[in-house]
Amino acid sequence: MITHIDHIAIAVQNLDSALDTFCTILGVDRQSVHIEEVASEKVRVGCIPLGASTIELLEPLEAGSPIEKFLATNGDGLHHIALATDNIETETARLVESGMKPLSPPKEGAGGKRIVFLHPKQTNRVLLECTQKNG
């Protein structure tokens, strides 16, 4: 079952500059930001806590990565909305049964979460991600 919005992800050319901007706007201390690299997605991620949700800033690690391709086409901006679930396998099966075609099977994403993406062609042009906390 989908329980809440886990995070909103924004693709950025420069993570450090974007973190300065968003921390100022949100009134968040930069010390509370978690930064990690997700090799499987070829991305550097800056997670800004915001209540029960997070603003996730995505910077490409290399040319040809999905985020680099997104930025080349669209520039900085909204990349996806992530919806939290308590069971990614059950939720993925439910979505497939309803006619959705996930972009891949559930896999590991940022923060050790299990993730699966739904294609924007099926979701009114919004890339949606389902996430499940590890553990």
Side-chain angles (χ1 to χ4, degrees), residues 45-129:
V45 180
C47 296
I48 305 170
L50 189 62
S53 297
T54 303
I55 300 292
E56 191 177 88
L57 303 176
L58 310 171
E59 176 189 67
L61 282 175
E62 59 187 67
S65 71
I67 295 301
E68 192 271 337
K69 289 177 185 176
F70 176 91
L71 288 165
T73 301
N74 304 293
D76 287 24
L78 180 65
H79 184 261
H80 68 269
I81 298 173
L83 307 170
T85 180
D86 48 10
N87 188 312
I88 195 91
E89 282 77 17
T90 300
E91 195 60 30
T92 302
R94 182 187 72 77
L95 291 165
V96 167
E97 190 173 302
S98 72
M100 294 288 153
K101 295 177 183 165
L103 295 176
S104 70
K107 60 185 177 179
E108 187 170 331
K113 294 178 183 176
R114 304 265 302 141
I115 64 169
V116 66
F117 283 96
L118 301 175
H119 200 288
K121 287 183 181 177
Q122 291 188 294
T123 57
N124 297 84
R125 297 176 32 122
V126 177
L127 180 61
L128 293 178
E129 176 187 30

Side-chain angles (χ1 to χ4, degrees), residues 6-78:
D6 183 74
H7 64 269
I8 296 171
I10 300 167
V12 299
Q13 298 282 347
N14 184 305
L15 181 60
D16 294 319
S17 175
L19 282 170
D20 288 342
T21 299
F22 278 88
C23 285
T24 298
I25 291 167
L26 300 170
V28 173
D29 185 324
R30 182 81 183 254
Q31 299 298 334
S32 67
V33 173
H34 173 75
I35 298 174
E36 68 176 292
E37 290 185 4
V38 181
S40 65
E41 299 297 315
K42 301 174 186 164
V43 69
R44 184 171 167 234
V45 180
C47 296
I48 305 170
L50 189 62
S53 297
T54 303
I55 300 292
E56 191 177 88
L57 303 176
L58 310 171
E59 176 189 67
L61 282 175
E62 59 187 67
S65 71
I67 295 301
E68 192 271 337
K69 289 177 185 176
F70 176 91
L71 288 165
T73 301
N74 304 293
D76 287 24
L78 180 65

